[in-house]
Amino acid sequence: MIALLFSLLTVTMGLNYFGRTSVGTTLFLITLALSVYWLKFHATSTLTIQL
């Protein structure tokens, strides 16, 4: 998942560099929403380690 987020942010930077700022902003907001979901999922998931 983190590799997907990094690749989406790389594409976003490329789009903004080449002047496609509206598409870049939209992709950034989608990536931001996915990042918040990923953080919430991992912060609230139960640990499966059995000691």
Side-chain angles (χ1 to χ4, degrees), residues 14-26:
L15 287 170
N16 284 325
Y17 179 78
F18 290 114
R20 304 286 309 256
T21 55
S22 61
V23 179
T25 302
T26 304

Side-chain angles (χ1 to χ4, degrees), residues 2-50:
I2 195 69
L4 172 68
L5 293 174
F6 279 125
S7 63
L8 285 173
L9 288 172
T10 303
V11 171
T12 300
M13 288 188 290
L15 287 170
N16 284 325
Y17 179 78
F18 290 114
R20 304 286 309 256
T21 55
S22 61
V23 179
T25 302
T26 304
L27 187 59
F28 173 73
L29 293 175
I30 291 169
T31 306
L32 187 63
L34 286 172
S35 299
V36 169
Y37 170 76
W38 182 72
L39 177 65
K40 182 185 176 301
F41 174 77
H42 282 287
T44 58
S45 65
T46 60
L47 295 176
T48 58
I49 300 172
Q50 296 180 3

